[in-house]
């Protein structure tokens, strides 16, 4: 008689082999899924950093435009202050003539007296306006990145092929190559993320310089506005006094 048990199935071994093969296939499928998921998340992260970098360049461009407008405003304030100083100087000359008209003797003296040389209007503590040096340096540094803004803007940039990013990965040094994954696509994504983060760090530093320059420029223009307001108030009082003297002639 045979020593085999009653419940023996001659196909059991084949079924176990098939199950083992199915388990191996399932493990390989899961590994492929995980690889694809890692690539997908890396690609999404790279795209996210690219969009953030584009927004950073746009913010920098807006900051430069605001800085240029602020500098033009400062120049306009300076010209206004010079005009007020000139008006104040002319008003003083007019007051001298009015005083000479009121006095006959003073009029004769002024008639025979040599005409004094024309003097430049007093600046009354108004220094020459050249703009804030910190702001100008920050603007020059940011303007150098204008081409990068055009490249990164979604409506202006040229879409880069993924193959170009993958080919760039072949030019890294051996030291950098060891720091990245061996998978070519994943390595390209990681390099792109690192490059974008470096650019974002530099961009934030430039934005900080712009902000500090804008703050200094605004403070200087505030002082100029206060000085100009006082001059205008004084000029208004002098004009009213001169007008009253003219009416009394």
């Amino acid at each position: 008689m045979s020593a085999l048990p009653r419940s023996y199935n001659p196909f059991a071994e084949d079924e176990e082999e098939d199950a083992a093969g199915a388990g191996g296939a399932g493990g390989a499928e899961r590994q492929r899924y995980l690889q694809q998921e890692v690539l997908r998340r890396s690609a999404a992260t790279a795209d996210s950093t690219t969009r953030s970098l584009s927004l950073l360049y746009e913010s920098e461009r807006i900051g430069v435009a605001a800085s240029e407008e602020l500098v033009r405003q400062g120049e306009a304030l300076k010209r206004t202050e010079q005009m007020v100083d000139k008006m104040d100087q002319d008003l003083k000359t007019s007051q001298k003539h009015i005083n000479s008209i009121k006095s006959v003797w003073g009029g004769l003296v002024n008639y025979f007296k040599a005409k004094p040389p024309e003097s430049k209007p007093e600046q009354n503590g108004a220094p020459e306006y050249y703009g804030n040096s910190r702001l100008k340096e920050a603007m020059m540094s940011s303007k150098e990145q204008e081409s990068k803004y055009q490249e990164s803007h979604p409506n202006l940039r040229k879409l880069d092929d993924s193959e170009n990013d993958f080919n760039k990965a072949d030019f890294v040094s051996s030291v950098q190559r060891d720091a990245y994954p061996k998978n070519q696509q994943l390595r390209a994504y990681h390099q792109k993320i690192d490059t974008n983060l470096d650019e974002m760090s530099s961009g934030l530093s430039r934005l900080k310089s712009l902000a500090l320059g804008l703050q200094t420029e605004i403070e200087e223009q505030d002082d100029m506005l206060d000085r100009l307001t006082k001059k205008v108030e004084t000029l208004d009082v002098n004009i009213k006094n001169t007008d009253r003297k003219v009416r009394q002639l």
Side-chain angles (χ1 to χ4, degrees):
M1 294 181 62
S2 174
L4 295 175
R6 284 184 178 181
S7 61
Y8 174 74
N9 185 356
F11 299 101
E13 295 180 0
D14 295 338
E15 292 178 356
E16 292 178 358
E17 292 177 358
D18 293 340
E29 183 67 22
R30 177 174 176 78
Q31 185 176 5
R32 283 194 298 271
Y33 168 77
L34 292 177
Q35 291 176 350
Q36 293 176 357
E37 184 67 15
V38 170
L39 288 175
R40 186 185 67 81
R41 290 178 180 271
S42 298
T45 304
D47 292 340
S48 177
T49 55
T50 300
R51 288 192 299 270
S52 299
L53 188 60
S54 176
L55 293 175
L56 187 62
Y57 287 146
E58 186 174 1
S59 301
E60 191 172 3
R61 182 184 65 85
I62 294 173
V64 170
S67 301
E68 292 175 345
E69 184 63 27
L70 191 63
V71 170
R72 285 193 292 269
Q73 176 179 305
E75 294 172 352
L77 286 174
K78 180 59 183 178
R79 289 193 298 270
T80 303
E81 188 175 12
Q82 291 174 346
M83 292 175 60
V84 171
D85 290 338
K86 180 66 167 59
M87 293 174 63
D88 183 66
Q89 186 71 19
D90 293 340
L91 191 60
K92 290 179 179 179
T93 304
S94 300
Q95 290 176 349
K96 291 180 181 179
H97 291 311
I98 292 173
N99 293 333
S100 66
I101 292 175
K102 293 176 64 175
S103 172
V104 177
W105 176 253
L108 292 173
V109 170
N110 289 335
Y111 179 80
F112 292 103
K113 188 177 181 180
K115 185 179 180 180
E118 295 184 358
S119 59
K120 294 183 179 180
E122 298 178 1
Q123 296 297 322
N124 297 332
E128 292 295 331
Y129 185 83
Y130 296 105
N132 182 263
S133 59
R134 173 184 291 182
L135 181 60
K136 286 191 173 183
E137 292 177 359
M139 289 170 57
M140 291 178 59
S141 177
S142 296
K143 283 183 177 180
E144 295 175 355
Q145 311 298 321
E146 187 175 358
S147 60
K148 293 184 178 181
Y149 162 75
Q150 295 179 353
E151 293 174 358
S152 63
H153 195 279
N155 295 331
L156 300 176
R157 66 181 178 183
K158 296 180 179 178
L159 295 178
D160 295 333
D161 297 333
S162 58
E163 295 180 358
N164 294 335
D165 292 337
F166 299 152
N167 292 333
K168 292 177 183 178
D170 297 335
F171 295 97
V172 297
S173 63
S174 59
V175 177
Q176 293 176 338
R177 190 185 301 273
D178 294 339
Y180 291 105
K182 295 182 179 180
N183 184 280
Q184 187 178 12
Q185 294 181 350
L186 190 59
R187 182 169 65 246
Y189 286 137
H190 282 202
Q191 290 174 351
K192 187 175 185 60
I193 292 171
D194 288 347
T195 301
N196 289 344
L197 291 176
D198 291 340
E199 289 291 336
M200 289 171 63
S201 177
S202 301
L204 289 173
S205 178
R206 292 191 300 271
L207 277 178
K208 179 182 178 181
S209 299
L210 274 175
L212 293 175
L214 284 170
Q215 179 183 4
T216 304
E217 182 70 18
I218 290 173
E219 291 175 353
E220 292 180 356
Q221 291 191 19
D222 283 343
D223 295 338
M224 190 182 301
L225 283 172
D226 293 339
R227 188 170 63 245
L228 183 59
T229 301
K230 294 179 181 178
K231 289 183 179 181
V232 171
E233 291 175 352
T234 302
L235 182 63
D236 182 64
V237 173
N238 293 336
I239 289 175
K240 291 180 179 179
N241 292 335
T242 303
D243 183 69
R244 187 177 63 256
K245 290 180 180 180
V246 170
R247 292 177 183 275
Q248 292 174 355
L249 291 178

